[in-house]
């Protein structure tokens, strides 16, 4: 027995902390005193993957390959995986890798029986931007807290947005896409809509203007594509393949990597939606899903207290629903302490100390680890690519000793698949026909537009009726006040006194003649 494998030696004591009895993922071989010890394997219990984790390290140190390595083994153990593919190089997990000298050397160093293996995968995109089955959310399910984060609203504006969501819910105004939200905001500051919120606080015109401008800027980034129907059912991520392996869901994000606030917040929606829908299951022999949250620092930058509280609560409670979450970022300080405290499994790749800020981050990282037999401050600056400092939770929930580790090589392709092959994989999926085409049904925008059109038509009809009544009244008044015209010659003759006297005389004589005729009397003779 060599000194390094002696159970009483420091390296032997470290290795003993990883000698689990139940199913576990093999991460690599222990590094001690500058040597790789293939007989001392570093592992992570499958049952502890729902206790969350952190994969951190400087750019180029191997974080993505670590994700791929863990995802492969989870799939082989029947555990579904969700991966966010920021740079577009994780899609290779779906096809077997190609051996080369470096892989063979790495496999020999860590006692790995490497064999090229692809894994069952589905590919998604945000709203159909880029290759993948479109993932969409309704504005309602996204909610005011996440929407405020993505619109970069302050606390007061966030509260006002919550009031807007509340009003829409009470009135049955479905907020499906961004035009629905804009329509409700505009309505609530219109003359017709202002009275609607008086009893519950009201909405200032200034705040509404800020929200509307933020929505416009958001749409100009192409974000309107992310919201709508059919809304994605996140339970699709929990599926297994026909052979029992866990399905690897890869969200392709290269087409939207210039919109970091959007995709990081959307990832949080996926996680929050899973939390809402899944039942409590407690501790399981293996998780229902492991969710890798890449570029995690983007999620927390500029976040409001309400947003951070929501993340903390989700991470704390989703464990009991069988979901494990791994945050992937550059340094642990990118993650708020309340969240970091819940991440029981740690894979820390190399850090750089080129600047005073780098040195400060290095010291802060060292303080987040348990007491170690290593000089971590020195070790973390000289780790090679594909090497990491690891501590995980043992089967009884206690932290394992800190172990410097040379990691295994992924067995799938370490790079992107061909674009044509990716497109074929997407369109052959059973989910493609279900989610590919957007649906635009009647919602808040259409309802408010219809009500406003009806109100405008009614107002126009009332205005026309009032105008007609006014015109008729004016005509009647004019008729009453008009001067009488001069009488004609005939009217002057008929109206004269001489004409009236003559008429009476003729009338009397004519009357007597008629009376005689009527009563049978005859004229008197002279």
């Amino acid at each position: 027995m060599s000194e390094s494998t002696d159970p009483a030696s420091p390296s032997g004591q470290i290795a003993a902390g990883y000698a689990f009895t139940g199913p576990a993922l093999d991460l690599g071989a222990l590094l001690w005193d500058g040597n790789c010890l293939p007989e001392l394997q570093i592992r992570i219990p499958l049952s502890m993957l729902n206790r969350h984790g952190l994969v951190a390290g400087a750019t180029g140190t191997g974080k993505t390959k670590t994700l791929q390595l863990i995802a492969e083994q989870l799939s082989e153990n029947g555990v579904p995986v969700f991966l966010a593919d920021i740079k577009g190089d994780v899609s290779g997990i779906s096809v077997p890798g190609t051996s080369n000298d470096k892989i063979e050397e790495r496999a020999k160093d860590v006692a790995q029986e490497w064999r090229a293996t692809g894994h069952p995968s589905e590919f998604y995109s945000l709203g159909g931007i880029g290759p993948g089955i479109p993932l969409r959310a309704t504005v309602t399910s996204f909610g005011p807290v996440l929407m405020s984060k993505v619109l970069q609203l302050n606390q007061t504006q966030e509260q006002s947005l919550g009031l807007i969501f509340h009003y829409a819910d009470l009135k049955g105004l479905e907020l499906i896409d961004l035009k629905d939200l804009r329509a409700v905001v505009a309505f609530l500051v219109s003359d017709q809509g202002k009275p609607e919120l008086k009893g519950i606080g009201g909405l200032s015109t200034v705040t509404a203007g800020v929200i509307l401008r933020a929505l416009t800027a958001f749409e100009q980034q192409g974000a309107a594509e992310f919201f709508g129907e059919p809304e994605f059912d996140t339970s699709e991520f929990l599926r297994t393949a026909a052979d029992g392996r866990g399905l690897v869901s890869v969200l392709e994000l290269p087409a939207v990597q210039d919109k970091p606030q959007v995709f990081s917040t959307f990832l949080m929606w996926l996680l929050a939606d899973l939390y809402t829908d899944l039942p409590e299951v407690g501790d399981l022999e293996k998780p229902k899903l492991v969710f890798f949250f890449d570029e995690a620092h983007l999620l927390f930058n500029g976040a409001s207290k309400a947003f951070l509280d929501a993340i903390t609560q989700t991470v704390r409670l989703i464990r009991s629903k069988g979901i494990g979450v791994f945050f992937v970022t550059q340094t642990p300080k990118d993650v708020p302490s309340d969240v970091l405290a819940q991440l029981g499994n740690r894979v820390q790749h190399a850090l750089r100390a080129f600047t005073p800020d780098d040195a400060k981050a290095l010291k802060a990282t060292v303080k987040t680890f348990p007491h170690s037999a290593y000089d971590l401050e020195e070790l973390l600056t000289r780790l090679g690519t594909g090497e990491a400092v690891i501590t995980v939770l043992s089967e009884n929930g206690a932290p394992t000793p800190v172990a410097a580790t040379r990691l295994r090589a992924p067995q799938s392709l370490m790079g992107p698949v061909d674009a044509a092959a990716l497109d074929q994989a997407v369109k052959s999926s059973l989910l493609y026909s279900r989610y590919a085409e957007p649906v635009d049904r009647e919602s808040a925008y259409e309802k408010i537009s219809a009500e406003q059109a009806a109100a405008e038509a009614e107002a126009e009809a009332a205005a026309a009726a009032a105008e007609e009544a006014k015109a008729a009244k004016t005509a009647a008044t004019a008729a009453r006040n008009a001067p009488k015209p001069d009488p004609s010659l005939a009217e002057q003759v008929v109206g004269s006194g001489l004409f009236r006297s003559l008429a009476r005389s003729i009338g009397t004589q004519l009357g007597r003649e008629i009376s005689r005729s009527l009563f049978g009397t005859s004229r008197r003779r002279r």
Side-chain angles (χ1 to χ4, degrees):
M1 179 184 299
S2 66
E3 181 180 349
S4 61
T5 58
D6 182 353
S9 68
S11 57
Q13 292 175 359
I14 292 172
Y18 293 86
F20 309 124
T21 58
L25 309 186
D26 295 313
L27 299 179
L30 181 69
L31 288 171
W32 180 257
D33 199 21
N35 298 311
C36 182
L37 309 176
E39 64 276 17
L40 301 181
Q41 291 290 307
I42 305 303
R43 311 164 74 213
I44 179 171
L46 189 60
S47 60
M48 290 292 110
L49 267 295
N50 71 329
R51 301 299 178 94
H52 311 320
L54 177 73
V55 178
T59 301
T61 56
K63 296 191 299 294
T64 301
K65 300 302 178 284
T66 298
L67 304 188
Q68 196 166 339
L69 172 66
I70 297 174
E72 287 178 350
Q73 295 188 61
L74 285 168
S75 176
E76 290 168 3
N77 280 275
V79 179
V81 178
F82 175 91
L83 289 173
D85 187 7
I86 304 295
K87 298 184 291 293
D89 55 3
V90 182
S91 58
I93 196 170
S94 61
V95 297
T98 303
S99 182
N100 56 41
D101 291 344
K102 287 186 177 180
I103 289 177
E104 290 178 1
E105 183 181 355
R106 174 62 61 105
K108 181 179 179 181
D109 283 347
V110 300
Q112 177 185 8
E113 295 181 7
W114 191 92
R115 68 182 188 280
T117 309
H119 298 80
S121 304
E122 292 272 22
F123 299 96
Y124 300 94
S125 64
L126 287 187
I129 299 178
I133 299 162
L135 297 186
R136 299 183 186 90
T138 64
V139 170
T140 293
S141 69
F142 213 70
V145 174
L146 284 175
M147 186 61 72
S148 296
K149 173 66 166 63
V150 82
L151 294 179
Q152 301 181 52
L153 304 181
N154 63 29
Q155 184 176 356
T156 300
Q157 294 155 0
E158 180 179 322
Q159 291 169 350
S160 294
L161 189 61
L163 191 64
I164 293 165
F165 272 72
H166 176 68
Y167 170 80
D169 187 49
L170 286 178
K171 297 296 182 179
L173 297 172
E174 296 90 345
L175 301 177
I176 293 175
D177 50 28
L178 293 182
K179 71 177 185 295
D180 290 324
L181 180 56
R182 183 189 292 103
V184 174
V185 175
F187 170 74
L188 289 174
V189 290
S190 67
D191 292 339
Q192 183 183 354
K194 280 181 180 178
E196 294 285 332
L197 291 182
K198 279 190 175 179
I200 51 175
L203 175 65
S204 77
T205 304
V206 173
T207 298
V210 171
I211 294 172
L212 289 172
R213 287 193 296 274
L215 282 171
T216 299
F218 192 38
E219 285 183 302
Q220 288 174 346
Q221 296 177 26
E225 300 291 335
F226 310 149
F227 296 94
E229 290 181 323
E231 182 173 63
F232 187 74
D233 182 355
T234 51
S235 66
E236 305 283 10
F237 295 146
L238 305 178
R239 295 176 298 142
T240 55
D243 60 5
R245 289 185 296 171
L247 199 64
V248 181
S249 298
V250 182
L251 178 58
E252 294 294 333
L253 293 171
V256 293
Q257 60 181 311
D258 59 335
K259 305 174 180 64
Q261 290 278 358
V262 175
F263 71 69
S264 65
T265 311
F266 203 93
L267 290 177
M268 192 62 217
W269 171 77
L270 294 175
L271 198 57
D273 194 69
L274 284 165
Y275 165 72
T276 301
D277 289 347
L278 291 176
E280 294 279 341
V281 293
D283 289 326
L284 301 172
E285 292 182 358
K286 61 183 181 182
K288 287 185 175 182
L289 172 73
V290 176
F291 192 103
F292 289 92
F293 206 126
D294 204 357
E295 300 292 337
H297 64 283
L298 299 172
L299 182 69
F300 302 110
N301 286 348
S304 68
K305 184 178 184 302
F307 185 74
L308 291 176
D309 288 346
I311 294 175
T312 304
Q313 182 183 30
T314 301
V315 173
R316 180 184 297 118
L317 299 179
I318 204 170
R319 177 190 67 78
S320 63
K321 300 195 174 190
I323 305 295
V325 183
F326 275 70
F327 290 98
V328 185
T329 189
Q330 294 196 2
T331 70
K333 72 181 183 63
D334 293 334
V335 181
S337 57
D338 287 346
V339 177
L340 189 63
Q342 300 175 56
L343 309 183
N345 304 297
R346 301 277 299 278
V347 180
Q348 177 66 61
H349 288 267
L351 290 174
R352 309 303 181 209
F354 299 141
T355 69
D357 286 343
D358 289 342
K360 185 176 179 181
L362 174 62
K363 291 181 180 295
T365 298
V366 170
K367 290 179 181 179
T368 65
F369 279 89
H371 176 72
S372 168
Y374 297 93
D375 181 349
L376 286 180
E377 194 166 333
E378 179 188 357
L379 177 62
L380 286 173
T381 60
R382 57 181 178 83
L383 287 171
T385 301
E387 297 177 346
V389 170
I390 293 174
T391 179
V392 301
L393 294 180
S394 66
E395 291 167 310
N396 62 7
T400 59
V402 174
T405 307
R406 180 163 294 165
L407 297 165
R408 294 186 169 214
Q411 299 182 133
S412 55
L413 179 66
M414 289 186 280
V417 299
D418 178 76
L422 178 59
D423 185 65
Q424 176 61 29
V426 170
K427 292 182 178 176
S428 63
S429 169
L430 296 176
L431 300 183
Y432 185 76
S433 60
R434 191 180 308 171
Y435 295 106
E437 291 299 321
V439 176
D440 189 11
R441 63 181 175 92
E442 183 183 64
S443 51
Y445 172 79
E446 289 78 13
K447 289 179 179 179
I448 289 175
S449 297
E451 289 177 4
Q452 288 178 334
E456 288 173 5
E458 184 178 344
E460 288 176 3
E467 191 64 30
E468 289 177 6
K470 182 179 179 181
K473 183 177 180 181
T474 301
T477 302
R480 286 195 302 270
N481 296 334
K484 294 182 179 179
D486 292 336
S488 65
L489 178 60
E491 289 172 334
Q492 293 178 30
V493 171
V494 171
S496 68
L498 178 62
F499 182 82
R500 287 194 297 273
S501 176
L502 180 60
R504 282 195 300 272
S505 175
I506 294 172
T508 301
Q509 183 179 355
L510 180 60
R512 286 197 296 270
E513 291 295 328
I514 293 174
S515 296
R516 292 189 188 107
S517 171
L518 289 176
F519 294 104
T521 59
S522 58
R523 294 183 68 180
R524 186 182 301 174
R525 290 181 180 273
R526 294 189 178 193

